[in-house]
Amino acid sequence: NYTSGKLPMEPASRRFIQVFEAGEPFEREGVEWSVIRVRGQSFMLHQIRKMVGLMIAIVRGDTSMQALEDSWGKDRIDIPMAPGLGLMLDMIHYERYNKRYWEEDGMHDNLDWAEHHEQVEKFKEKFIFSDIIKTEVEDMSMMKWLREVLPMHTFMPRSFENQKENIPE
């Protein structure tokens, strides 16, 4: 339900989400923001945008928690895809690699950005977050999505993109 081209019960469409949390709201340039942090093993195409889209719809009262429950079932649910502005890959975790190639064989370098954390945060603030905020203030893509796109969704079962309809001959 959170990607296209895969059926919900296909093994290839299963993903393990370890963390999904929203930070405290804050204001910049007259717009309210919240950092949403998602950590998982891997993600499917559009998965995070759909997860965020459904979360926003539930919080705003456009659908109920039942839509979330239904999205984990076998039916394809009509889930809105939130705008992509602001979505960024913040950190790649290499725990398995480090355990196998750094800790166990000692022949490879540890892949860890912890010692550069302060520089990375400054870079994100100066170049990435500032551009995201500037673009949203100018384009208002989230406000347009909330007003124009979100109301179009039914949160009801629909057919699959890769499922052939029963068309009489």
Side-chain angles (χ1 to χ4, degrees):
N1 270 314
Y2 294 96
T3 191
S4 55
K6 296 282 182 197
L7 299 172
M9 296 304 166
E10 283 183 53
S13 68
R14 295 187 182 171
R15 294 294 185 260
F16 180 66
I17 303 299
Q18 298 159 318
V19 175
F20 193 105
E21 61 188 13
E24 287 294 319
F26 60 94
E27 188 177 313
R28 293 255 180 96
E29 302 292 328
V31 177
E32 188 174 54
W33 302 84
S34 177
V35 173
I36 299 168
R37 185 171 158 250
V38 183
R39 181 177 174 169
Q41 274 180 325
S42 62
F43 303 107
M44 301 292 290
L45 178 67
H46 304 310
Q47 178 183 355
I48 304 303
R49 291 176 62 189
K50 285 187 163 206
M51 291 168 66
V52 170
L54 182 56
M55 176 192 65
I56 291 170
I58 292 169
V59 168
R60 290 176 51 88
D62 293 310
T63 192
S64 68
M65 287 293 290
Q66 187 60 47
L68 178 63
E69 295 293 328
D70 293 346
S71 76
W72 293 328
K74 61 180 176 48
D75 291 327
R76 166 82 68 198
I77 306 299
D78 179 29
I79 298 174
M81 187 166 41
L85 180 65
L87 179 63
M88 69 176 219
L89 177 60
D90 186 43
M91 185 181 303
I92 299 174
H93 300 273
Y94 295 103
E95 284 94 357
R96 294 171 103 185
Y97 175 92
N98 287 337
K99 182 168 180 52
R100 183 173 180 185
Y101 296 106
W102 179 63
E103 291 176 19
E104 292 177 5
D105 79 7
M107 295 177 65
H108 296 84
D109 290 337
N110 182 25
L111 296 179
D112 186 358
W113 296 98
E115 66 184 73
H116 304 288
H117 179 75
E118 189 175 320
Q119 294 135 305
V120 169
E121 291 303 311
K122 285 179 182 177
F123 177 87
K124 287 190 306 190
E125 188 66 40
K126 183 175 181 179
F127 295 104
I128 299 173
F129 296 151
S130 63
D131 188 63
I132 291 169
I133 292 167
K134 177 182 177 284
T135 304
E136 179 60 30
V137 167
E138 290 172 0
D139 298 348
M140 301 300 281
S141 62
M142 180 57 83
M143 294 308 292
K144 288 177 188 169
W145 181 82
L146 290 170
R147 193 174 49 251
E148 299 169 12
V149 178
L150 185 57
M152 295 173 22
H153 290 272
T154 65
F155 307 95
M156 301 298 293
R158 62 182 180 85
S159 64
F160 296 98
E161 297 90 349
N162 58 350
Q163 182 180 42
K164 294 182 178 166
E165 300 293 328
N166 294 329
I167 302 172
E169 295 181 34

